[in-house]
């Protein structure tokens, strides 16, 4: 599970590496929904077969993690 603001050093390299993983990468975006960071993490999850969730507030993070862990 990746928890991030979705601002990598290199989107291209991150997506390239994600496709090499044998396991899905699920992502939780912390921050304002709809921005570039959210879009990138959605793409990262999709590239590896993972799931995506977004939470504007840190206090919602535990709920998002629990949902991802029980979705398996």
């Amino acid at each position: 599970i990746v928890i991030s603001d979705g601002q990598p050093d290199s989107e291209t390299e991150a997506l390239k590496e994600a496709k090499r993983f044998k396991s899905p990468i699920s992502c939780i975006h912390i921050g304002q929904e709809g921005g570039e960071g959210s879009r990138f993490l959605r793409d990262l999850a999709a590239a590896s077969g993972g799931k995506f969730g977004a939470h504007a507030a840190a206090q919602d993070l535990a709920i998002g993690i629990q949902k991802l862990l029980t979705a398996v």
Side-chain angles (χ1 to χ4, degrees):
I1 297 175
V2 172
I3 302 168
S4 175
D5 64 357
Q7 302 295 317
D9 292 335
S10 169
E11 286 189 21
T12 304
E13 284 299 312
L15 291 170
K16 181 177 158 184
E17 289 299 316
K19 291 176 183 174
R20 294 177 47 182
F21 273 60
K22 294 181 176 143
S23 299
I25 301 170
S26 292
C27 301
I28 297 176
H29 177 250
I30 299 294
Q32 188 172 359
E33 178 65 26
E36 287 298 306
S38 179
R39 179 204 50 80
F40 168 70
L41 290 177
R42 193 178 300 274
D43 291 348
L44 181 64
S48 67
K51 299 190 181 312
F52 171 80
H55 299 283
Q59 61 264 28
D60 297 331
L61 185 57
I63 295 167
I65 293 170
Q66 184 176 17
K67 285 181 182 178
L68 286 175
L69 291 175
T70 58
V72 178

